[in-house]
Each structure stands twice: as C-alpha cells, then as structure tokens.
Amino acid sequence: MSEGLHHLLRAAAQQRPDHPLFERRGVVTTYGEIDRASSAFAASLRERGVEKGQRVALVLDNLAAYPICYYGALKAGAAVVPLCPDTRPGTLSRALSHSEARAVVLETKTSKLLAGLGDQLDALSTVYCLGKRVLEAEGGFEVLDLSEVLAADAHLDDSGAGDADLAAVMYTSGTTALPKGVMLSHRNLLANTRSCVEYLELKPDERLGLVLPLFYSYGNSLLHTHICVGGTLVDIGTVAFPAAVLKGLDEKACTGLSGVPSTFARLLHTTALDKYDLTDVRYLTQAGGPMTPALTEKLLAAMPNAKLYVMYGQTEAAPRLSYLPPEDLDRKLGSVGKAIPGVTLRVLDAEGNEVEPGVEGELVAQGDNVMLGYLDDPAATAKALRPEGLRTGDLARRDKDGYVYIIGRNTDMMKAGAHRIAPQEIEAVIEKLPEVAQCAVAGIPDELLGEAIAAFIVRTDGAELDEKQVMRACYEYLPRFKMPGHVVFVDTLPRTDTGKLRRSELKSWQPPPPQKGGT
C-alpha cells in the first residue's frame, strides 16, 4: 500500500483521539474531531467528482478548518493548493486558473472575491464556504456550506494516494518574479517531515505557538511535523501585535516558537519582553531568510532558556535543507549549518564541479524532499532540477568542517563598480548597532558605479540614530567599496505576506535631488 502524508493524522488520531491538535481563542479541536471531519470532507470531494491528482485550493486563515480540509483533500487523493487569504480577485483568479483547482475552500470574506468569475474558472466545480454564505452558484460551480459538509455522516478515510503521487502545489513567495507552482509529492513531504522531527527532537507534548500562516511552506511544515508526533498547534496571533504573541506564549504554556527573522525582530522590539514568563519555551526555529548574527545574539540574550535552531530551505525542498544545531551557534555564528538527515548539500562552480572549502559557488541539494518540478513550467523545471540536483540559486561557501554559509542569492548580489557585493554582509554590520531594529541593503541605479549601495534602516523604539553613526560603524568593519552610499531611515521594510523581504522594491528607491546652493 502507498504511504501517504494523511496517514500521519490517522495514526495520531488512533493513538490520542482526545488530545488537542489545534487551539484558537479558547476553542480546542482534538485529533479525533479533525480526523472525522477530514474524512467527511474527503467523501464530499469524491462525491463531487474530484479525482486523484486533481487540485483543491485552500484560502483560509489559521483555523481548525485548515488541517481538516488539507488532510481531507489528501484522503480523497487530491493535491492541496494553499493560497494566501489576504488576496484580491485577480490574484485569486490567476492562482485558481493556473492550478486548475476543481474545488476551493474560502471564508465568507474571501468568497465574495469569486463573484462574477464563474465563467473564467473552467475547472472549478465546487466552492466550500466557511461562515455566512454570501456567494451564489454561477458559471460551472456550486456553493456548499462547509460546516454542513463536515457534520455529515459520510466519510472516506483513504483513496490509496501516496508515495510519488502529487500531494501539494505550493506557490513561491514571488519576491523577484511571478510565483511558481512547486509540485510536491507525498514522499517529498513525508521525507521533510520526518527529518525535521528527528533533528528537532519533537515529542508528543509539544505545544507550538503558531504565528506563521499555515498556507506558507514553513507553516505547512509545522503542521505536518506536529501531527507526526501528536503535538498541538496553538494559534497566538500575529507579530503585528507582539505583546499578544508574548502573552500567548506565556499563558498557553507553549514549548516552541517558529518564525522568520522579522518575527523575532518585532518581538525583540517590544520593551515589555521581561514581564512575560517564557520559561516553558524550550526551542525556537528560524528560517525564511537569513538572520544576522547580531539579531541572533539579541534573541539568545532575551530567551536564554530556549534552544535556537537556525534553518535554511526552499519551497522546492518541502522546504527544509539544513539546520545549525543549537550547540554550534557560538562557534558557527552566521552559518545555516549542515544538511538535514536524508539530504546532501554541495557547493558547485558554474561547470558543476565541487569547490574547495572557503570558495564561493552555488548550493546544490539532493534528497527525497526535492520537488517533482514546477507546475506547467518545463523550462523553469529543467533549469532548477539538474542531474547534479536542485540548483538553489543561492551563493554559498563551506568551511573546513562542512558548515554552510549563505552569501546571498544570485539575484541579490550588487554590482558596484568592478565589485560584486552581498547585501547580507553589510546588513550584519549595521544590525550590530543596538539602535537598529531591522536593516535591508539594496543596490540602486547609479550612473557612475552601475549600482550604489543603499541601507534602509528601521530604528528601535525611541532610538536616536543618524547617518554619521551608521557610517562610522560600517567604516570599522567594511572596506571602502562596501560602504553604503545612501542611508535611509524608514518606518517599515517591504515584505511579503510570509515576512520575506521584497528587496526588489528597495531597488526602485531614488535619492532626493541635490539641493541647490543659495545666491
């Protein structure tokens, strides 16, 4: 029998049916409840003609309905397409059309976006609405009340999907281009899930403080790993309200917290950090972009009882590729560690030859977690999946002990004069300043240099920091050709819905024209 990702839920539900799987705003949903409801959803999909490999889109916030519908779609043999619920009609329509979704699950607020689009979505046959029904059937799709479907007696526990069968289409963040649909199999997701459980040493009593969106590949990984061990996801809000997140970690006795660099930067930005009891938090995981050594040190100082796992990956790898063990943080600060169990990482030159330690090249990955390819994009698939493995597009080097250091993405590299410069190196220097909450560096068009270096800085609350102080700090650590030509103080940095930096937006910044002298 094929091994499917959905078998994780059934196994956990059989062992601990009354154990909480998902908690939100005081409402607890158990493993048994989610297992039963997901089987009802699977039966509805099959009744409406959804077949093996066809796509079911989820446009949901962090709700119990998310794991119910995700695992229900897998039970029906379908592939899940998680989409951002903060969307617009055109964006939603493009994603549903590209993925050829046969069914979609939406909340009331997002279901309105489908009004008038029925004739444009040829593949869509069923819309499941969670909450008050405001959308009527049109074109080729019917509209069903999700709550009624989940309460039905019908059930389908399995359809035989698994192994190499398509399980999910995850859209990339699209920080530099239009999002691509990453096709992941059951084997891809199971390999990643079990590897993460192994190196994180997750246990059944885990209570993860959930702040990341589940539609995000990182959030999806958290869902699968905690179901794998029978743990609990506790929704504690978003870091837009850092005090509420810290309160949730305290009052809900959370054992773990996962985030991207901006997650931890915002929490550390909160002056009342010491008023919360965070001693139950035993581990922190960070991925979704590089975290500067300075931010890492601040985080460890603020939460000394927690182990911090710095991780690296890509959606194309389901998504994890490497991790830095907490015991190596001090001696390997700035590294993303070594390959996770089951993955091989190499640094190759342009000809595909492995380079010596200390030499820069492109990071290439192999493992059962590497994607099937990009949906309907054979050219991009052929470029990324080479005989030597997954070409990550990230420049990296390895030290003599085999630890990987990410230099930056090929697309991030700045060309100032004759020099190629990684923005992360400059960001790491500027974030050493205690007055700096966040920093991002980008190359902006410059007639003389090609690109000039611009540093965009968010100050900590109440901090006084000027350009001269920033430049003095840079001068202490950087050669002249890496010194910023512009220092710009901003309130926020442009980011995607999942917290990743939109560096391309910074590149469009233009310096103010020079002031004319007086007469």
PDB file of all heavy atoms in Angstrom, residues 159-173:
ATOM      1  N   SER A 159      -7.891   6.863  -0.170  1.00  0.00           N
ATOM      2  CA  SER A 159      -8.178   6.534  -1.571  1.00  0.00           C
ATOM      3  C   SER A 159      -6.975   5.889  -2.244  1.00  0.00           C
ATOM      4  O   SER A 159      -6.972   5.694  -3.452  1.00  0.00           O
ATOM      5  CB  SER A 159      -8.584   7.800  -2.336  1.00  0.00           C
ATOM      6  OG  SER A 159      -7.528   8.738  -2.314  1.00  0.00           O
ATOM      7  N   GLY A 160      -5.940   5.616  -1.450  1.00  0.00           N
ATOM      8  CA  GLY A 160      -4.770   4.943  -2.000  1.00  0.00           C
ATOM      9  C   GLY A 160      -3.679   5.844  -2.509  1.00  0.00           C
ATOM     10  O   GLY A 160      -2.654   5.366  -3.003  1.00  0.00           O
ATOM     11  N   ALA A 161      -3.833   7.170  -2.408  1.00  0.00           N
ATOM     12  CA  ALA A 161      -2.792   8.088  -2.883  1.00  0.00           C
ATOM     13  C   ALA A 161      -1.606   8.071  -1.929  1.00  0.00           C
ATOM     14  O   ALA A 161      -1.764   7.930  -0.710  1.00  0.00           O
ATOM     15  CB  ALA A 161      -3.346   9.496  -3.014  1.00  0.00           C
ATOM     16  N   GLY A 162      -0.410   8.246  -2.464  1.00  0.00           N
ATOM     17  CA  GLY A 162       0.791   8.298  -1.637  1.00  0.00           C
ATOM     18  C   GLY A 162       2.046   8.209  -2.475  1.00  0.00           C
ATOM     19  O   GLY A 162       2.011   8.279  -3.706  1.00  0.00           O
ATOM     20  N   ASP A 163       3.179   8.056  -1.791  1.00  0.00           N
ATOM     21  CA  ASP A 163       4.490   7.913  -2.431  1.00  0.00           C
ATOM     22  C   ASP A 163       4.753   9.050  -3.426  1.00  0.00           C
ATOM     23  O   ASP A 163       4.826  10.197  -3.056  1.00  0.00           O
ATOM     24  CB  ASP A 163       4.615   6.546  -3.095  1.00  0.00           C
ATOM     25  CG  ASP A 163       4.590   5.407  -2.069  1.00  0.00           C
ATOM     26  OD1 ASP A 163       4.834   5.683  -0.886  1.00  0.00           O
ATOM     27  OD2 ASP A 163       4.314   4.269  -2.460  1.00  0.00           O
ATOM     28  N   ALA A 164       4.858   8.730  -4.729  1.00  0.00           N
ATOM     29  CA  ALA A 164       5.221   9.726  -5.737  1.00  0.00           C
ATOM     30  C   ALA A 164       4.028  10.523  -6.236  1.00  0.00           C
ATOM     31  O   ALA A 164       4.197  11.435  -7.064  1.00  0.00           O
ATOM     32  CB  ALA A 164       5.919   9.055  -6.908  1.00  0.00           C
ATOM     33  N   ASP A 165       2.824  10.235  -5.739  1.00  0.00           N
ATOM     34  CA  ASP A 165       1.646  10.977  -6.181  1.00  0.00           C
ATOM     35  C   ASP A 165       1.717  12.428  -5.710  1.00  0.00           C
ATOM     36  O   ASP A 165       2.253  12.733  -4.633  1.00  0.00           O
ATOM     37  CB  ASP A 165       0.365  10.338  -5.628  1.00  0.00           C
ATOM     38  CG  ASP A 165       0.096   8.962  -6.223  1.00  0.00           C
ATOM     39  OD1 ASP A 165       0.435   8.762  -7.402  1.00  0.00           O
ATOM     40  OD2 ASP A 165      -0.449   8.100  -5.509  1.00  0.00           O
ATOM     41  N   LEU A 166       1.155  13.312  -6.509  1.00  0.00           N
ATOM     42  CA  LEU A 166       1.136  14.738  -6.165  1.00  0.00           C
ATOM     43  C   LEU A 166       0.304  14.965  -4.911  1.00  0.00           C
ATOM     44  O   LEU A 166      -0.846  14.528  -4.825  1.00  0.00           O
ATOM     45  CB  LEU A 166       0.566  15.542  -7.334  1.00  0.00           C
ATOM     46  CG  LEU A 166       0.564  17.066  -7.185  1.00  0.00           C
ATOM     47  CD1 LEU A 166       1.992  17.600  -7.117  1.00  0.00           C
ATOM     48  CD2 LEU A 166      -0.191  17.717  -8.352  1.00  0.00           C
ATOM     49  N   ALA A 167       0.896  15.660  -3.924  1.00  0.00           N
ATOM     50  CA  ALA A 167       0.206  15.960  -2.663  1.00  0.00           C
ATOM     51  C   ALA A 167      -0.103  17.441  -2.508  1.00  0.00           C
ATOM     52  O   ALA A 167      -1.093  17.806  -1.874  1.00  0.00           O
ATOM     53  CB  ALA A 167       1.038  15.489  -1.471  1.00  0.00           C
ATOM     54  N   ALA A 168       0.739  18.299  -3.053  1.00  0.00           N
ATOM     55  CA  ALA A 168       0.541  19.743  -2.860  1.00  0.00           C
ATOM     56  C   ALA A 168       1.181  20.528  -3.992  1.00  0.00           C
ATOM     57  O   ALA A 168       2.178  20.093  -4.585  1.00  0.00           O
ATOM     58  CB  ALA A 168       1.138  20.187  -1.521  1.00  0.00           C
ATOM     59  N   VAL A 169       0.585  21.667  -4.271  1.00  0.00           N
ATOM     60  CA  VAL A 169       1.189  22.666  -5.156  1.00  0.00           C
ATOM     61  C   VAL A 169       1.356  23.916  -4.305  1.00  0.00           C
ATOM     62  O   VAL A 169       0.373  24.556  -3.922  1.00  0.00           O
ATOM     63  CB  VAL A 169       0.324  22.961  -6.389  1.00  0.00           C
ATOM     64  CG1 VAL A 169       0.960  24.080  -7.231  1.00  0.00           C
ATOM     65  CG2 VAL A 169       0.130  21.704  -7.230  1.00  0.00           C
ATOM     66  N   MET A 170       2.602  24.240  -3.968  1.00  0.00           N
ATOM     67  CA  MET A 170       2.907  25.381  -3.115  1.00  0.00           C
ATOM     68  C   MET A 170       3.461  26.506  -3.990  1.00  0.00           C
ATOM     69  O   MET A 170       4.453  26.313  -4.692  1.00  0.00           O
ATOM     70  CB  MET A 170       3.951  25.012  -2.061  1.00  0.00           C
ATOM     71  CG  MET A 170       3.594  23.831  -1.179  1.00  0.00           C
ATOM     72  SD  MET A 170       2.264  24.188  -0.017  1.00  0.00           S
ATOM     73  CE  MET A 170       2.984  25.522   0.941  1.00  0.00           C
ATOM     74  N   TYR A 171       2.818  27.654  -3.936  1.00  0.00           N
ATOM     75  CA  TYR A 171       3.304  28.779  -4.722  1.00  0.00           C
ATOM     76  C   TYR A 171       4.412  29.515  -3.975  1.00  0.00           C
ATOM     77  O   TYR A 171       4.303  29.779  -2.779  1.00  0.00           O
ATOM     78  CB  TYR A 171       2.154  29.719  -5.091  1.00  0.00           C
ATOM     79  CG  TYR A 171       1.336  29.174  -6.239  1.00  0.00           C
ATOM     80  CD1 TYR A 171       0.210  28.389  -5.989  1.00  0.00           C
ATOM     81  CD2 TYR A 171       1.714  29.383  -7.552  1.00  0.00           C
ATOM     82  CE1 TYR A 171      -0.535  27.854  -7.036  1.00  0.00           C
ATOM     83  CE2 TYR A 171       0.983  28.845  -8.610  1.00  0.00           C
ATOM     84  CZ  TYR A 171      -0.135  28.085  -8.347  1.00  0.00           C
ATOM     85  OH  TYR A 171      -0.839  27.544  -9.389  1.00  0.00           O
ATOM     86  N   THR A 172       5.489  29.803  -4.699  1.00  0.00           N
ATOM     87  CA  THR A 172       6.620  30.513  -4.114  1.00  0.00           C
ATOM     88  C   THR A 172       6.199  31.926  -3.750  1.00  0.00           C
ATOM     89  O   THR A 172       5.162  32.422  -4.199  1.00  0.00           O
ATOM     90  CB  THR A 172       7.803  30.552  -5.088  1.00  0.00           C
ATOM     91  OG1 THR A 172       7.389  31.196  -6.300  1.00  0.00           O
ATOM     92  CG2 THR A 172       8.281  29.149  -5.413  1.00  0.00           C
ATOM     93  N   SER A 173       7.045  32.587  -2.952  1.00  0.00           N
ATOM     94  CA  SER A 173       6.679  33.918  -2.450  1.00  0.00           C
ATOM     95  C   SER A 173       6.630  34.976  -3.528  1.00  0.00           C
ATOM     96  O   SER A 173       5.991  36.007  -3.359  1.00  0.00           O
ATOM     97  CB  SER A 173       7.668  34.345  -1.361  1.00  0.00           C
ATOM     98  OG  SER A 173       7.622  33.459  -0.276  1.00  0.00           O
TER      99      SER A 173
END
